[in-house]
Amino acid sequence: MRRIMSMAVLFCLPPVLLIVIFPDNANAIPAFARKYQTSCMLCHAPFPKLTAMGESFRLNGYKLPDADEIYVKEQPVSMGAEAYKKVFPKAVWPSSIPGVPPISIRATGNVAYHPYGPQDGNSDFNFPSEVTLLGAGSFENDFAFFAQIGFEIEDDTTTTTPMAWLMWQNLFSGVIGEHHLDLKAGNVGRHAIALPNARNENNITLEDYLYATELDLDNQPGFQVVGYGRHWRYGAGVVESDRKNTNKDFYTAFSIKFGGLGYDGSGQTSAAGGVGTSPAGYWLDNSVQLGFFAYEGYVEENADRFDRIGGDARITYQSLSVAGGYITGNNRQANEDKHIWFGEAQYFVFPWLIPYIRYEDMTVKNVDNADLARFIVGSAMLVRANIRVNLEGRIYTTDQPTVAADGETKDDDQIAFLIDWAF
Amino acid sequence: MKKSMKSMVISGLVCSIALCLSLIPLTGRAQQDPGGTIKGTVDSPFVQRYQALVYIDQVKGDFTPPKENPHMSQKGLVFEPHILPVLKGSTVDFTNDDTVSHNVFAPPGAATSFNLGIYGPGVKKTETFDTLGEVPLLCSVHPEMYAYVIVLQNPYFALTDVNGGFEIKNVPPGSYQLKIWDEKLKPAAKPVTVTAGKITTVEFKNLVEN
């Protein structure tokens, strides 16, 4: 416990130590900063974690809610005048494309040191560990798009991962209301194949959520429907289980929100002012969010079906954000049964300094020596609005089931330093 | 007696007519320009992008703030206007004309430091500026937004046009220090003497970047 406490104190201080980091899907898209001539902080707190406004922007197909046009400083190119809607079907439905290609680049690099465990005393320099080229935006009000090519560099090998999707928004809006049904096709599941309020895309720690890595939750090619209102949002999809067969996976996620800025951008953030008060920040969103997630899948390799089901909660009050969640995963053929829960807290000490702590615990039934428990303790620091560094410790409180050279299982504790930047 | 009464009436009429005639040019002058004009340029490439404020440092007398409050809007994630010169004692209306929440605050070191909190669309807040000097305005929700309120002692000021030109009219005759403020330039001053009905030309050159 003393070791955990002392590491907690260390990582709450600004970093003096350079130190693995595994960046996830890029979620920060600086092209939008250029389009709106605004700071990253309108949508991220800190990047890649979305603010309430950023979440609303994302759900709205990368447009600001209500009156997107008044904020756009970089004018789009018309693909047909508005009046052509009146001529349809004797004309192509008018649209627009971004004035300049909405391309952004994100790069991450890291240094990791392993004070104990299988890599006892090892340190690694990984500069860069990943470079991502990404673009996203909207075609008028009806379509949104996302595309990225990720280059992951490891041991002189570069793995390229392309992904893209197109979303048709506001289907049947005249009958069921706006924003209630959008259809997405492509590499879907991003933001939906996860516990809704603890997604890796919103993760400011270096370490992915344990449940996401242990339960193999990732994007897949397929179709997804999404929708949202003031207090709720949902996603449901059908995706390929494996490209070698015709089996399909199914999933659904649902989240409700009380207080704060609505998922549709309605409602407003407020904070008192006055003499002697400090200006409150861009991250404010006093709210409670509750989420549910379920996934039913198939693994071709051993013809196994599996399921994951869980729920989470996030409470945000002033500068503090606290979350917790539980998820269980069952691989039927393998008779493997995982139960994972976590709790985490993040706090804005300053607008640029956000210390955090997370505890994760996994119990695996029917498999020996597979249980895990660990703390993730660190600080995220915005050197600039588009440059983030993290100093983070990963401390196992049970022996991590990694076999060391001498055959002994040891903790794989780690101290790491990340630099993450985008433009 | 009758004669003297008649002569008094005639004298009175003559005096009245004379007085009226003498007042005509005075009234006419009062309706025209009672002072002089300062005209000139701020010669710096910065002023094309960053407007400069040219103002007279001190003018004798008390100047009452306008009855209608000066207005600073937040719209399209931009403060409008970017520079708002106001008279000391003025109360400025701050309005959120966007569809998102905004904040207005002036950081420590400003002539007047304040924080209006975070508030939604359609809300109007006010702040009174009693101290001369520069007040940078920021929005804690949108860090790229900024503007300036410049609190002045008198109403004799002008903002430069895209070519750096400026004109200050109706300046009371006298000798003054003419100053410039620009967010990218170091402050500069020049002595100037204003003569009633005349144009005084001033050029600011060799200005140094902040």
Side-chain angles (χ1 to χ4, degrees):
Chain A
M1 197 62 188
R2 180 180 291 175
R3 184 169 53 132
I4 294 165
M5 290 300 290
S6 36
M7 288 188 87
V9 169
L10 171 66
F11 296 126
C12 287
L13 296 171
V16 290
L17 184 62
L18 289 183
I19 312 222
V20 152
I21 306 2
F22 317 104
D24 228 288
N25 292 321
N27 200 40
I29 307 171
F32 295 134
R34 286 187 276 277
K35 178 179 176 182
Y36 296 99
Q37 299 279 297
T38 190
S39 168
C40 311
M41 290 183 273
L42 175 65
C43 288
H44 298 284
F47 82 92
K49 185 181 179 183
L50 293 170
T51 60
M53 179 56 73
E55 188 73 13
S56 174
F57 180 76
R58 176 185 77 81
L59 288 165
N60 196 32
Y62 301 125
K63 294 182 291 294
L64 286 168
D66 289 337
D68 185 72
E69 280 185 42
I70 71 167
Y71 300 103
V72 174
K73 311 289 191 308
E74 188 184 88
Q75 290 307 314
V77 174
S78 171
M79 296 284 112
E82 181 77 10
Y84 274 104
K85 288 179 181 174
K86 293 178 181 173
V87 185
F88 187 82
K90 292 180 178 175
V92 175
W93 194 266
S95 180
S96 66
I97 60 172
V100 293
I103 304 296
S104 302
I105 293 173
R106 184 177 175 194
T108 58
N110 61 77
V111 177
Y113 174 69
H114 304 267
Y116 320 100
Q119 301 183 67
D120 196 356
N122 283 358
S123 61
D124 304 303
F125 293 169
N126 304 297
F127 293 113
S129 58
E130 188 168 330
V131 176
T132 310
L133 192 65
L134 66 160
S138 58
F139 303 136
E140 202 68 32
N141 290 321
D142 302 327
F143 283 91
F145 65 91
F146 177 88
Q148 85 170 38
I149 302 173
F151 304 94
E152 194 170 356
I153 302 118
E154 190 176 9
D155 299 332
D156 297 330
T157 305
T158 301
T159 309
T160 306
T161 313
M163 68 173 284
W165 54 252
L166 183 69
M167 181 165 74
W168 192 357
Q169 297 182 268
N170 290 315
L171 299 176
F172 310 114
S173 59
V175 181
I176 60 174
E178 267 196 82
H179 310 310
H180 294 176
L181 183 64
D182 299 340
L183 175 64
K184 196 182 274 190
N187 297 96
V188 297
R190 188 183 156 82
H191 300 282
I193 301 182
L195 289 170
N197 302 298
R199 316 187 298 253
N200 261 335
E201 289 86 355
N202 255 5
N203 190 10
I204 63 167
T205 70
L206 318 182
E207 201 76 36
D208 285 346
Y209 282 103
L210 183 66
Y211 83 84
T213 51
E214 286 292 331
L215 299 179
D216 299 324
L217 298 175
D218 210 345
N219 305 315
Q220 304 287 349
F223 293 93
Q224 177 179 289
V225 290
V226 295
Y228 61 95
R230 164 88 176 87
H231 297 287
W232 55 271
R233 64 181 169 86
Y234 76 91
V238 51
V239 294
E240 284 288 316
S241 301
D242 188 317
R243 296 192 189 218
K244 296 172 190 165
N245 64 72
T246 61
N247 284 290
K248 300 290 181 282
D249 292 357
F250 305 91
Y251 61 87
T252 186
F254 186 81
S255 184
I256 54 176
K257 181 176 184 178
F258 306 100
L261 190 73
Y263 290 128
D264 60 359
S266 66
Q268 295 299 330
T269 307
S270 64
V275 177
T277 60
S278 292
Y282 56 96
W283 58 87
L284 283 189
D285 186 48
N286 295 345
S287 59
V288 175
Q289 296 178 83
L290 304 173
F292 167 81
F293 168 70
Y295 194 103
E296 171 76 21
Y298 179 79
V299 183
E300 170 74 4
E301 196 175 350
N302 52 359
D304 196 4
R305 292 213 71 85
F306 64 89
D307 59 65
R308 281 83 174 93
I309 187 165
D312 68 356
R314 180 170 294 279
I315 300 170
T316 305
Y317 182 71
Q318 303 294 16
S319 297
L320 178 68
S321 177
V322 179
Y326 169 81
I327 188 166
T328 177
N330 179 263
N331 287 32
R332 294 167 201 161
Q333 189 72 24
N335 196 23
E336 187 180 271
D337 195 7
K338 290 180 177 175
H339 300 263
I340 302 171
W341 67 270
F342 71 90
E344 70 176 2
Q346 300 162 354
Y347 187 80
F348 277 83
V349 175
F350 297 112
W352 54 271
L353 178 64
I354 308 101
Y356 52 80
I357 185 166
R358 183 162 82 221
Y359 179 76
E360 300 174 296
D361 183 285
M362 178 174 74
T363 306
V364 186
K365 294 183 178 171
N366 310 318
V367 178
D368 291 336
N369 201 26
D371 292 356
L372 279 178
R374 67 183 189 185
F375 280 97
I376 307 297
V377 184
S379 246
M381 286 144 284
L382 288 175
V383 177
R384 295 289 183 273
N386 63 329
I387 304 172
R388 177 173 60 96
V389 297
N390 280 46
L391 179 60
E392 182 174 298
R394 180 180 70 193
I395 310 129
Y396 286 90
T397 57
T398 56
D399 282 343
Q400 201 250 10
T402 303
V403 180
D406 59 3
E408 187 183 348
T409 58
K410 287 185 173 179
D411 295 351
D412 188 17
D413 292 354
Q414 173 182 281
I415 299 167
F417 177 82
L418 164 79
I419 184 161
D420 186 353
W421 51 275
F423 67 92
Chain B
M1 187 66 185
K2 272 187 179 176
K3 192 181 176 184
S4 95
M5 194 69 172
K6 192 176 178 181
S7 63
M8 280 178 69
V9 170
I10 292 167
S11 305
L13 279 170
V14 170
C15 287
S16 299
I17 292 165
L19 182 64
C20 287
L21 287 171
S22 70
L23 280 175
I24 288 169
L26 282 177
T27 311
R29 194 159 56 229
Q31 283 174 345
Q32 290 173 356
D33 189 350
T37 298
I38 305 172
K39 201 170 178 179
T41 55
V42 177
D43 184 12
S44 165
F46 283 105
V47 295
Q48 292 181 4
R49 194 161 171 184
Y50 303 97
Q51 264 187 314
L53 173 68
V54 184
Y55 62 97
I56 297 177
D57 189 33
Q58 289 288 331
V59 175
K60 280 182 186 171
D62 292 325
F63 300 94
T64 314
K67 288 180 181 172
E68 192 174 336
N69 290 348
H71 177 215
M72 177 63 78
S73 166
Q74 287 171 292
K75 189 169 185 180
L77 304 183
V78 175
F79 279 109
E80 181 62 37
H82 183 62
I83 301 164
L84 181 63
V86 300
L87 268 178
K88 181 183 172 186
S90 295
T91 298
V92 174
D93 292 342
F94 291 92
T95 58
N96 179 348
D97 300 313
D98 264 336
T99 58
V100 298
S101 293
H102 279 299
N103 159 260
V104 179
F105 78 99
T112 302
S113 184
F114 65 96
N115 171 29
L116 298 182
I118 297 177
Y119 46 95
V123 175
K124 181 174 90 175
K125 299 230 175 181
T126 59
E127 181 68 24
T128 300
F129 295 87
D130 287 324
T131 307
L132 295 176
E134 173 190 306
V135 185
L137 302 177
L138 298 170
C139 171
S140 65
V141 189
H142 307 104
E144 76 283 0
M145 291 177 67
Y146 75 106
Y148 296 93
V149 170
I150 309 296
V151 186
L152 301 168
Q153 179 262 343
N154 61 75
Y156 304 108
F157 58 80
L159 287 164
T160 53
D161 57 29
V162 289
N163 299 314
F166 66 89
E167 187 175 54
I168 307 173
K169 291 179 176 175
N170 304 330
V171 181
S175 294
Y176 307 105
Q177 281 288 309
L178 188 67
K179 293 189 171 181
I180 66 162
W181 175 95
D182 185 293
E183 61 189 287
K184 291 289 174 188
L185 298 172
K186 288 191 172 166
K190 274 183 176 277
V192 56
T193 300
V194 178
T195 308
K198 296 204 170 170
I199 295 174
T200 306
T201 305
V202 179
E203 191 169 9
F204 285 94
K205 279 185 168 179
N206 304 319
L207 297 163
V208 182
E209 189 181 348
N210 263 334

